[in-house]
Amino acid sequence: MKGVHVAVRGPLAAYASDAARSRGRLYAEAPSPTRSEFQRDRDRIIHCTAFRRLAHKTQVFVPLDGDHFRTRLTHTIEVGQIARALARALRVDEDLAEAVALAHDLGHTPFGHAGEGALEACMAPYGGFDHNAQALRVVTLLERRYARYDGLDLTWETLEGIVKHNGPLLPAARDEHPFPHPEERAKLASRRTRESAESEAHGSSSFETPPSISGLPEIDIQIRKSGKPDLRAAPQDEEPAAGVAGIRPLSRYIAAFNAIFPLDLSTFASVEAQAAAQADDIAYIGHDIDDGLRAELFSLDDIARTPFIAGVLAHVRDEYPGLERARVIHELVRRVITAFVEDSIGESLRRLARVSPASADEARRAGEALVRLSPPMAEAERDIKAFLFANMYRHEKVMGVWERARDAISRLFPAFFENPELMPAEWAAQAVALEDADRAVVVADYIAGMTDRYALNEVKRVFGGEAAGRP
């Protein structure tokens, strides 16, 4: 159709990440003859245990029975779909954008934000809890599937996206380490991969002995001696306003992993990872409007108090007078998502044209996020988030359920911390002989990995009483 732009797959832009020139993996592996490195990452994430558990983890706790409200898994799938759409329009690697999108919530606790808040409070004396750092722990340590290593052995680019998709974690002056420049590390990783492939072809293996990151005790000691826990970083769930805005302590595990496999924490992530982060915001705005309306936590007229929604809703009603409520809701949500996606594409292309990065690394070093909404749509997004915060996340029905969810985790954590033998044998064996801070991390790993249902059953097992279908 004349005048209509169709986002077809074409040559990648100069600023796209190149799977054939990935900076490599922590453990060198021979390349796949059928899949790119980022496709392999995507597939490993989809097949991991933590990904499957997302099906039984709350997204936003809606206090109604029903099978059609979003879970962490359906949210994640929606994020992946939008991330691919953005990546294709921006001419960057869709597989990398999807991999980051699919992994971005692997570190979330049961019971949504209520559960995370409860676990953060429990972990406050022991270094805190951060779901992005927990996602890194999942894909580098806690998934134990492969013969040669713990974790999924994802590429540098996917790990970077998991950790930094919301922006840099360190000011540039503080991101110093005795490791080669990224280009040199890429050459080294490429050479090791070639050597591994040649060795496999000759029936032998030249894989180096994998570095030990289980617990990272010696790295933790180095970090404490160097004072790195005092480094400051941007809030994980907030958008940096300019470079590094707002500050928070750098996660101990991210700092430890960065000492072994530097992730360039002072730069922005790739354009693909930024697309995944933008997709996350767009997805949850759309589906939270949908779930909130279907749960009757607020009405169409209520949400129409936000100017942007009022305009979209007016168009739907003008085009389809007398349309049944369920179809009105769907039309509203699909148009909201489309408007945000198309605006993000337009604004991001303008930013990329202005900065004109000649490589993926130049895009990382641009000093600003390149995948963004235009100022008017960013204001509309803030209005919608404010409405949802007041009318959905703080709705009395939701808050009542969240309080009971918090209570479940707030009871389980001290019980397992004081008596590690209450955990399954493999977890108890890790925790029982550890000092307090390290024991707390093991308990947090165990609880963060639970589904909602499993957590409720653990409350019943440990404390007795009836197990509820919902807390």
Side-chain angles (χ1 to χ4, degrees):
M1 293 172 59
K2 188 176 181 180
V4 175
H5 171 71
V6 180
V8 297
R9 187 177 285 142
L12 297 186
Y15 48 77
S17 298
D18 185 350
R21 300 182 62 192
S22 166
R23 297 194 194 185
R25 303 176 186 273
L26 184 61
Y27 310 112
E29 299 187 46
S32 167
T34 58
R35 294 173 296 163
S36 77
E37 295 305 307
F38 302 149
Q39 285 178 294
R40 294 176 80 187
D41 284 358
R42 188 242 355 250
D43 295 348
R44 291 180 183 192
I45 291 162
I46 288 174
H47 287 283
C48 79
T49 303
F51 186 79
R52 293 195 298 276
R53 286 176 181 158
L54 296 177
H56 302 289
K57 290 192 176 189
T58 293
Q59 175 63 22
V60 173
F61 225 93
V62 178
L64 295 175
D65 291 327
D67 297 329
H68 299 140
F69 298 112
R70 268 70 171 190
T71 65
R72 281 281 170 197
L73 181 60
T74 55
H75 162 71
T76 296
I77 292 170
E78 292 178 32
V79 175
Q81 178 266 327
I82 295 172
R84 288 195 74 98
L86 292 174
R88 179 175 295 197
L90 300 179
R91 296 191 298 123
V92 295
D93 194 287
E94 294 178 43
D95 298 316
L96 176 57
E98 185 180 26
V100 175
L102 295 179
H104 85 283
D105 269 358
L106 292 180
H108 269 289
T109 66
F111 308 128
H113 296 291
E116 183 170 1
L119 194 52
E120 285 176 355
C122 292
M123 285 294 292
Y126 310 109
F129 177 85
D130 172 75
H131 70 262
N132 280 348
Q134 192 67 20
L136 182 66
R137 287 181 67 79
V138 168
V139 301
T140 60
L141 180 64
L142 298 178
E143 283 285 330
R144 289 166 182 157
R145 309 168 56 83
Y146 295 93
R148 290 183 46 244
Y149 47 74
D150 290 337
L152 305 180
D153 195 28
L154 304 178
T155 61
W156 184 95
E157 290 80 4
T158 299
L159 295 177
E160 175 213 30
I162 291 171
V163 170
K164 300 191 313 189
H165 59 271
N166 287 323
L169 301 186
L170 295 178
R174 300 297 297 274
D175 188 20
E176 299 174 355
H177 47 68
F179 287 80
H181 184 273
E183 292 179 2
E184 296 302 316
R185 294 204 304 276
K187 292 177 184 177
L188 181 61
S190 176
R191 179 174 61 79
R192 287 175 176 169
T193 299
R194 288 196 304 272
E195 290 172 354
S196 299
E198 290 168 1
S199 297
E200 282 195 341
H202 291 87
S204 62
S205 174
S206 67
F207 285 123
E208 63 187 56
T209 302
S212 173
I213 59 170
S214 298
L216 300 162
E218 62 285 334
I219 294 295
D220 283 347
I221 292 171
Q222 293 175 23
I223 290 171
R224 284 194 290 271
K225 286 182 177 178
S226 70
K228 284 186 179 179
D230 293 329
L231 295 178
R232 313 303 289 181
Q236 298 292 302
D237 274 336
E238 295 179 15
E239 188 176 295
V244 178
I247 54 174
R248 64 177 292 171
L250 182 65
S251 157
R252 174 182 169 186
Y253 189 75
I254 291 177
F257 188 84
N258 187 65
I260 289 176
F261 196 56
L263 296 174
D264 296 350
L265 300 181
S266 65
T267 68
F268 281 83
S270 64
V271 173
E272 290 86 352
Q274 293 181 41
Q278 185 66 72
D280 185 24
D281 276 355
I282 294 172
Y284 93 68
I285 283 175
H287 64 55
D288 284 0
I289 292 172
D290 191 15
D291 282 351
L293 286 167
R294 293 181 186 278
E296 298 184 347
L297 299 180
F298 49 84
S299 69
L300 285 164
D301 289 339
D302 290 334
I303 197 167
R305 293 198 299 265
T306 61
F308 175 75
I309 297 295
V312 176
L313 188 57
H315 281 297
V316 173
R317 287 171 166 165
D318 287 346
E319 289 181 45
Y320 303 102
L323 189 65
E324 64 189 86
R325 182 176 183 273
R327 292 177 188 264
V328 171
I329 292 172
H330 180 68
E331 281 295 321
L332 170 65
V333 171
R334 68 189 288 263
R335 293 179 188 214
V336 167
I337 292 174
T338 298
F340 277 107
V341 168
E342 292 180 352
D343 180 84
S344 181
I345 290 170
E347 177 67 16
S348 302
L349 287 173
R350 284 189 288 274
R351 287 170 173 260
L352 287 161
R354 173 173 53 80
V355 175
S356 191
S359 67
D361 277 344
E362 281 195 17
R364 289 183 175 95
R365 295 193 295 268
E368 62 179 295
L370 297 174
V371 182
R372 297 288 289 272
L373 296 171
S374 66
M377 287 297 279
E379 182 177 357
E381 180 189 50
R382 286 191 293 271
D383 288 344
I384 295 170
K385 287 181 176 179
F387 175 88
L388 292 171
F389 183 86
N391 295 276
M392 185 172 185
Y393 314 141
R394 289 297 179 264
H395 192 284
E396 60 181 9
K397 293 180 180 177
V398 174
M399 291 300 295
V401 177
W402 280 18
E403 287 301 324
R404 291 191 290 277
R406 289 191 186 99
D407 180 67
I409 289 180
S410 298
R411 294 173 69 193
L412 287 174
F413 184 92
F416 294 143
F417 182 82
E418 296 297 333
N419 300 287
E421 64 277 4
L422 290 174
M423 294 188 290
E426 63 271 25
W427 290 95
Q430 295 179 60
V432 68
L434 295 176
E435 297 295 329
D436 285 0
D438 293 322
R439 179 186 297 185
V441 170
V442 173
V443 173
D445 286 340
Y446 178 51
I447 292 176
M450 294 178 180
T451 63
D452 295 8
R453 179 172 55 192
Y454 186 88
L456 294 171
N457 286 335
E458 283 294 86
V459 172
K460 179 185 177 183
R461 180 181 67 84
V462 174
F463 302 104
E466 293 295 324
R470 292 178 179 272

